Amino acid sequence: MNRCACLCILLSLLALCPGARTPSAHAAPAAPSRTAPSETAPAVATAEPPTSFHGIAWGTPLSEITGMSVVEKNGPAAYAKVAGVSPRIAQVDVSDIVYAFCDDRFAGAMATFQGRDRLAAIREVVARRYGQPVAPGDATENVGWPMGDVLIMLEFDALVGVGVLSYLHAPTYAPCTGGGEPGPAAEPPSPTGPAAGTGAQP
């Protein structure tokens, strides 16, 4: 999947959700629920929007993050990975996690995974924390959680059995899509096989 296109779609969807920008973006992220797997998530998102991903706050300079290596840079955008640990979303193993930076500031992350079992597990993890998602248009498996300046999107391509969970902090990433300061549109690295990420929760 084209990660740059994915982030641009996230920005567009966030702009189209007028009710998505109400919670404070400075509140601490909600703690994960300890409820049993059989319980359902809230009908609507009630948690505050995430202020970070895997413990990295939005806007953190790339130079201040240890253990992260840039795998590609294009214009104002850079894409990086963490080496030496297995990539996970909560306790769900994923194939790859790529961290997106715009003008050297942390702006988003994309976790690639395989299989419907992981799709269901990741959707449950995110829904327990942020409530039930919304489905754009007639999408059946592609869903999102618009929350303040942050949009979380879960997409799945049934033909190849591959999905992507994306987190985007719109104000930070906007200059890299032409929506902020002038600059060339950034192209992300092409998808690769399983790569290292971090095991912390999103």
Side-chain angles (χ1 to χ4, degrees):
M1 291 187 179
N2 186 310
R3 293 189 177 105
C4 185
C6 180
L7 291 180
C8 291
I9 290 169
L10 290 177
L11 276 175
S12 299
L13 289 174
L14 187 60
L16 293 174
C17 296
R21 307 177 83 79
T22 53
S24 168
H26 301 290
S33 172
R34 303 290 183 196
T35 56
S38 61
E39 296 180 18
T40 59
V44 294
T46 56
E48 295 291 343
T51 58
S52 64
F53 177 86
H54 280 187
I56 305 171
W58 307 125
T60 301
L62 175 59
S63 59
E64 294 181 7
I65 305 172
T66 58
M68 193 167 287
S69 300
V70 173
V71 294
E72 188 163 327
K73 185 168 176 59
N74 190 322
Y79 300 88
K81 296 181 182 180
V82 177
V85 292
S86 299
R88 290 183 180 167
I89 297 298
Q91 300 304 312
V92 183
D93 292 328
V94 296
S95 304
D96 189 32
I97 297 181
V98 174
Y99 297 81
F101 294 81
C102 183
D103 292 331
D104 192 47
R105 298 169 61 215
F106 180 53
M110 295 146 283
T112 305
F113 60 89
Q114 296 183 343
R116 288 186 182 278
D117 56 338
R118 288 188 173 90
L119 171 66
I122 290 172
R123 178 170 172 156
E124 183 176 0
V125 164
V126 182
R128 287 190 182 284
R129 184 169 295 186
Y130 300 115
Q132 290 295 341
V134 295
D138 58 357
T140 56
E141 294 180 304
N142 296 340
V143 296
W145 290 261
M147 306 180 70
D149 287 332
V150 177
L151 181 60
I152 304 168
M153 192 78 181
L154 180 59
E155 300 171 285
F156 188 75
D157 186 335
L159 291 177
V160 294
V162 174
V164 176
L165 173 68
S166 302
Y167 281 62
L168 177 71
H169 186 249
T172 307
Y173 196 75
C176 289
T177 64
E181 299 172 9
E187 289 296 328
S190 58
T192 59
T198 179
Q201 292 192 10

